[in-house]
Amino acid sequence: MMTRPRDQVSAEERMVYIEEHISEPHPSMKKLQELTKTHESGDMLSFYDGTVLLSNMIKFAGAKKCIDVGVFTGYSSLAWALSVPEDGKVVACDTSTEFTDIGKPFWKEAGVEHKIDLRIAPAAETLQAMIDGGESGTYDFMFIDADKESYDTYYEQGLQLLRQGGIIAIDNCFRMGRCMIESDTSPGVQTMRQLNAKIKKDPRVTAVMVNVADGTFVCLKN
């Protein structure tokens, strides 16, 4: 492994610097972000730096068909809908409208509600129905930020649904650093750690773990 030069600042100082030099969000995204932060589960909100990075990837790839696994208040779905062209779509998977209803007015305000196909059901069931319906190999991008114990299932289903050259982006691959603490054997951390190791050796993808948000594993389907 290559020896890296010693950093002159802490990881926290580095993140502050990054946040001070990132482009401003779309007005509707900013409003939804601020509203979600006031929610009792606001810590589930996707990090803005990771969202911008993935939005840029979607645009650069010319992606039209995206899948968002884990919608919460609709922040990530809004980001992907803003990133695809007018004829693009985002299949948004969640199990309840309790939180997704918060985001719907902002989807409409941003003029992208017609691009978001919200499907309320367990994501594994939604994805399997898409596979059974003949949609394998037709999607460009998938974002996974949901129940950690099911990440491996979503990853496998995503590989079926994505075209060659498509991208699966997996959020929370650090689990706030807990994946690096071997003594932490809690189920969610163990599951994430195992998936990280699996992806590293998976010949079906070319993958890189990116130090944004809570760690984002970006996997390109070979």
Side-chain angles (χ1 to χ4, degrees):
M1 184 178 295
M2 181 181 70
T3 301
R4 295 181 181 273
R6 185 176 178 82
D7 209 333
Q8 301 301 304
V9 297
S10 68
E12 290 77 13
E13 289 172 309
R14 183 194 289 250
M15 288 309 303
V16 169
Y17 189 80
I18 289 171
E19 290 169 0
E20 290 175 346
H21 294 83
I22 194 167
S23 297
E24 286 295 314
H26 183 282
S28 297
M29 283 193 65
K30 187 173 182 64
K31 292 177 186 177
L32 180 53
Q33 181 186 56
E34 293 304 318
L35 178 60
T36 302
K37 284 179 179 179
T38 67
H39 194 278
E40 61 181 0
S41 300
D43 59 348
M44 291 170 55
L45 178 70
S46 297
F47 286 87
Y48 181 55
D49 58 345
T51 304
V52 173
L53 175 65
L54 296 176
S55 292
N56 285 349
M57 287 184 182
I58 290 171
K59 294 173 185 176
F60 180 77
K64 286 189 175 183
K65 296 177 67 177
C66 302
I67 303 170
D68 192 27
V69 180
V71 179
F72 187 38
T73 63
Y75 182 74
S76 55
S77 296
L78 175 57
W80 317 147
L82 286 166
S83 302
V84 298
E86 189 61 25
D87 60 344
K89 76 168 184 176
V90 178
V91 176
C93 307
D94 212 296
T95 56
S96 170
T97 59
E98 178 184 357
F99 299 139
T100 59
D101 283 348
I102 295 172
K104 285 183 177 179
F106 299 94
W107 297 351
K108 183 175 182 179
E109 178 185 275
V112 297
E113 63 176 342
H114 63 288
K115 300 182 189 179
I116 302 175
D117 178 6
L118 178 61
R119 304 189 188 183
I120 302 299
E125 294 181 10
T126 297
L127 299 173
Q128 190 58 49
M130 292 162 65
I131 293 167
D132 295 343
E135 296 185 66
S136 294
T138 66
Y139 283 83
D140 304 299
F141 174 82
M142 175 191 244
F143 180 62
I144 302 175
D145 183 13
D147 55 305
K148 310 312 174 207
E149 289 74 13
S150 299
Y151 265 32
D152 188 81
T153 298
Y154 303 147
Y155 173 72
E156 290 294 336
Q157 291 174 314
L159 284 177
Q160 292 185 65
L161 287 164
L162 257 62
R163 63 170 173 82
Q164 184 177 12
I167 290 173
I168 299 178
I170 302 172
D171 197 21
N172 303 120
C173 65
F174 293 167
R175 295 307 311 270
M176 304 308 292
R178 293 170 64 192
C179 282
M180 303 162 211
I181 303 172
E182 293 299 324
S183 60
D184 190 331
T185 58
S186 54
V189 172
Q190 283 277 62
T191 300
M192 192 74 252
R193 190 184 290 130
Q194 290 165 5
L195 180 59
N196 289 342
K198 171 181 173 175
I199 291 172
K200 200 266 185 199
K201 298 179 179 178
D202 193 342
R204 298 171 296 175
V205 297
T206 300
V208 60
M209 195 177 285
V210 184
N211 189 20
V212 296
D214 181 28
T216 303
F217 223 148
V218 179
C219 313
L220 182 138
K221 181 178 175 180
N222 294 328

